[in-house]
Amino acid sequence: MWAWFCNRYGCDLRLHPKNCWVPSPQELDAAELKVMVYLQVLRQGYAFGTIKAYFSDLKALQRSYNSGRSMDFINQTFHRCSILLRVFEKEMPVTRQKKRPWLPEYFHHVARGKGWNPASFGREWAPFQERVVWTVMVFMFEHLLRLGEVVHTTVQRQTARRPWTHASVTFFSGAHEIGWVKDTGAPDPTWRHRCTHAVVDSMPSKTDAMGEKFDPFICPFPTERDVLQASGGSAQQAATAWMFATGPLLWDLMTRNPVQRALATVTPLFRAAPKVPPAVVQQLSQSHFVRTFNQFCKNASPPVPAELGGRRLGGHCMRVAGCNHAAKLNASIVRIANKGRWGAWAFAANRGYDYFRTDTQSMDQLTTAMILALLSAAGAK
């Protein structure tokens, strides 16, 4: 959009010339005025949230022009732009959609309806796309992610800036980084039962255009003792635990469909088909995800209702579910806000942005607690 604006009005994509590290006060004012005109043009045809996203993209672009240095490095501020955005926010009130949450027990209904065998870890327990979509669902639930941050959407969103690849995931046993099988690129199978967690790189989001603002995602592997305790001592139920935790699911996915490490940086982590380069490899799209997701809901036992109270499950349903699930575990509002990458004060002031609906350590401990509580939801009807 910035490129269109600059082409339309005959101005440079850069706010300041190359290698200009000390712009004059007049140049700083002129650059901000140019951005304010850009925001006014966007105001004519876009919603407030979209305007903010484009403004974030613009700052990220200028940072790339400055060799990764922020605009603050050259004393370029956008105070007047911030004031203008606050005016837009008042003039363009947002009608927040009441988000229908996914329920934790739905995971068990889907697994039961599909007839998946939990003893099939490391083997083909479901077709490739079903395994990918299931992993995405659990990942979004655990880490309060939006669908647009994980899959490729028709309207290019955050995930298009820098999608997750196979190189984005690292497995650990305590502080020891687990290696990869040289020939296939799969994680070293001899470490499977000693793996404690996976680390997934932080990616660009609505509030972090560069993907550098937040810590990586920690995906714990629940211990056998914790799993048995959460399942009430049932060994059969405990055997299903890996299907409800992102870490083991990523291990299964990268073992069943490995990618050589030389190609890991160019192969999407969540891809639409089990192809690998040099074949054309596409990231899982929103349409593919929704089609498989709807099939899961239809074939679940009992079926997951397509509509409830006039509301359908949308792209934020896992984020809502994870938020509520954490609240039921008595997580503080600060921990929930941190996990969901919200500002705690704004999250509380806006009544949880319609995510936090329950009255009711660290992030990896909260994630582990969520996994174990999810496992115990198996008996819910």
Side-chain angles (χ1 to χ4, degrees), residues 304-324:
V304 176
E307 190 171 308
L308 200 63
R311 292 180 294 165
R312 302 180 68 86
L313 293 166
H316 286 232
C317 68
M318 297 297 172
R319 188 165 163 86
V320 179
C323 183
N324 289 338

Side-chain angles (χ1 to χ4, degrees), residues 15 24-25 42 53 56 58 62 86 103 108 120 146 178 203 210 232 248 251 285 308 343 376-377:
L15 291 178
S24 67
L42 293 177
S56 180
L58 169 59
Q62 300 305 316
R86 286 198 291 271
L103 299 180
H108 298 277
S120 300
R146 310 169 183 88
I178 296 174
M203 287 290 126
M210 297 298 294
W251 183 288
S285 69
L308 200 63
S376 67

Side-chain angles (χ1 to χ4, degrees), residues 129-361:
Q129 191 169 103
E130 288 190 2
R131 288 188 284 114
V132 172
V133 170
W134 178 260
T135 303
V136 167
M137 289 166 59
V138 175
F139 187 34
M140 290 193 297
F141 173 81
E142 268 187 31
H143 298 282
L144 315 189
L145 292 166
R146 310 169 183 88
L147 182 61
E149 293 173 336
V150 186
V151 304
H152 179 78
T153 55
T154 305
V155 178
Q156 304 253 321
R157 297 180 185 171
Q158 293 79 27
T159 185
R161 298 185 183 124
R162 194 171 79 243
W164 275 297
T165 66
H166 271 246
S168 304
V169 181
T170 309
F171 295 100
F172 287 87
S173 176
H176 172 77
E177 182 176 336
I178 296 174
W180 307 88
V181 178
K182 184 177 180 180
D183 295 336
T184 64
D188 186 345
T190 61
W191 285 86
R192 166 62 187 90
H193 295 291
R194 287 178 284 175
C195 186
T196 56
H197 62 283
V199 176
V200 183
D201 292 343
S202 178
M203 287 290 126
S205 67
K206 286 174 68 175
T207 54
D208 181 17
M210 297 298 294
E212 300 172 349
K213 186 176 177 181
F214 299 105
D215 293 331
F217 298 99
I218 307 299
C219 306
F221 281 54
T223 66
E224 184 177 352
R225 183 183 65 182
D226 289 342
V227 166
L228 281 171
Q229 184 176 354
S231 58
S234 169
Q236 182 178 3
Q237 187 175 333
T240 69
W242 68 270
M243 296 186 72
F244 302 95
T246 302
L249 283 170
L250 287 174
W251 183 288
D252 176 78
L253 185 65
M254 299 175 80
T255 298
R256 285 290 309 147
N257 302 95
V259 173
Q260 292 182 351
R261 299 311 292 171
L263 303 173
T265 58
V266 294
T267 306
L269 177 59
F270 304 117
R271 55 194 197 271
K275 300 177 181 178
V276 295
V280 177
V281 181
Q282 295 181 329
Q283 185 184 8
L284 182 71
S285 69
Q286 182 178 10
S287 59
H288 284 135
F289 176 89
V290 170
R291 183 162 54 247
T292 304
F293 177 79
N294 288 339
Q295 181 192 54
F296 282 170
C297 294
K298 182 179 179 180
N299 296 335
S301 177
V304 176
E307 190 171 308
L308 200 63
R311 292 180 294 165
R312 302 180 68 86
L313 293 166
H316 286 232
C317 68
M318 297 297 172
R319 188 165 163 86
V320 179
C323 183
N324 289 338
H325 195 58
K328 289 177 181 177
L329 296 174
N330 295 321
S332 70
I333 194 167
V334 173
R335 294 181 73 194
I336 295 173
N338 288 341
K339 189 171 182 63
R341 300 161 303 285
W342 289 290
W345 182 87
F347 185 71
N350 288 278
R351 298 184 180 181
Y353 297 117
D354 193 39
Y355 290 96
F356 189 62
R357 300 182 187 169
T358 309
D359 294 329
T360 34
Q361 306 163 335

